[in-house]
Amino acid sequence: MIDNIQVLAHSAVRIESGKTLYFDPYLIENDFNDADVIFLTHDHYDHFSPEDFAKVTRENTPVVAPATIVAHLLDEGIERDRIIAVKPGDALQVEGIPVEVVPSYNTNKKFHPQANGWVGYVVTVDGTRCYVAGDTDINPDVLQVKCDIAIVPVGGTYTTTAEEAAQLVNRIRPAIAVPTHFGVVTGTKEDGKAFARFVDPEIRVVQKLTY
């Protein structure tokens, strides 16, 4: 399954296996327009970018997003019946894909308050539970996540640092961990390697962002 996951840039994740799923499309180089589902975690510019959204969406692609993004999507001309508004704790199926909605928030920073209801997602694809964390710190909610693959931010400033992200995956014990959210908006190009050094050797780290 890990071979079917791409990190296109920053936190933009593409999962393809039967269905093509995008998470927070950003800095998309080509017009793919092949998304079966688009997932948005929150409305910061590097996670909800209308320009990049337009490069992956098709005419009727459903969009899963927290309530705070709904007005922005409508302003961009996305039809209301395409938008699936979610909140932390929700469980649903979208295009046959089981989806669990995970709270995503800071504990010692002001950038992603818990009260905003921003999210990450656990999607089950071909029997594999893939956790796309969004922008988060270690908090009691993310420590409850059960997944096979964890895709987590490591750049610090707005999210977990490389060491903190490693502490998270060491606690939730996925088989595979993938670092994101470094080297462009925040963090350095070395953060992915630092993350790998801090992760328990029993957990496989796969570098999908290459600079």
Side-chain angles (χ1 to χ4, degrees):
M1 184 64 212
I2 188 62
D3 292 336
N4 296 331
I5 297 175
Q6 297 172 273
V7 181
L8 301 173
H10 192 52
S11 291
V13 174
R14 183 178 188 267
I15 301 176
E16 184 174 13
S17 186
K19 300 288 186 179
T20 300
L21 315 179
Y22 284 88
F23 299 79
D24 291 348
Y26 180 60
L27 299 179
I28 304 298
E29 294 184 354
N30 301 308
D31 291 333
F32 293 106
N33 300 117
D34 60 349
D36 289 302
V37 187
I38 298 172
F39 295 87
L40 301 173
T41 63
H42 63 294
D43 58 8
H44 287 165
Y45 75 93
D46 54 332
H47 295 264
F48 173 50
S49 164
E51 175 184 356
D52 295 293
F53 182 98
K55 292 181 179 180
V56 303
T57 190
R58 296 187 294 188
E59 183 177 355
N60 297 312
T61 302
V63 185
V64 182
T68 55
I69 304 183
V70 171
H72 298 303
L73 289 166
L74 294 172
D75 287 345
E76 293 297 328
I78 307 304
E79 298 85 353
R80 184 64 184 84
D81 61 2
R82 290 176 56 188
I83 302 169
I84 302 170
V86 295
K87 62 184 184 301
D90 283 352
L92 62 156
Q93 286 212 4
V94 183
E95 296 294 302
I97 304 293
V99 179
E100 297 171 19
V101 185
V102 179
S104 183
Y105 57 90
N106 293 139
T107 55
N108 58 4
K109 310 174 184 70
K110 62 182 180 181
F111 305 106
H112 306 91
Q114 184 177 7
N116 284 6
W118 291 339
V119 301
Y121 298 96
V122 177
V123 296
T124 300
V125 180
D126 290 342
T128 301
R129 292 172 58 85
C130 302
Y131 171 42
V132 181
D135 281 5
T136 194
D137 284 330
I138 298 175
N139 60 59
D141 291 295
V142 298
L143 289 173
Q144 303 306 309
V145 169
K146 298 184 185 306
C147 62
D148 302 299
I149 299 173
I151 303 170
V152 294
V154 306
T157 304
Y158 309 105
T159 70
T160 45
T161 64
E163 184 171 5
E164 291 166 342
Q167 291 172 3
L168 171 59
V169 301
N170 290 344
R171 291 281 299 276
I172 66 175
R173 310 302 299 176
I176 298 173
V178 179
T180 64
H181 207 281
F182 65 95
V184 178
V185 174
T186 189
T188 72
K189 295 177 181 180
E190 297 300 314
D191 282 329
K193 296 176 183 177
F195 170 75
R197 291 195 298 270
F198 290 121
V199 170
D200 187 318
E202 293 184 0
I203 298 170
R204 178 185 170 201
V205 175
V206 177
Q207 303 287 353
K208 292 288 185 174
L209 274 179
T210 56
Y211 294 101

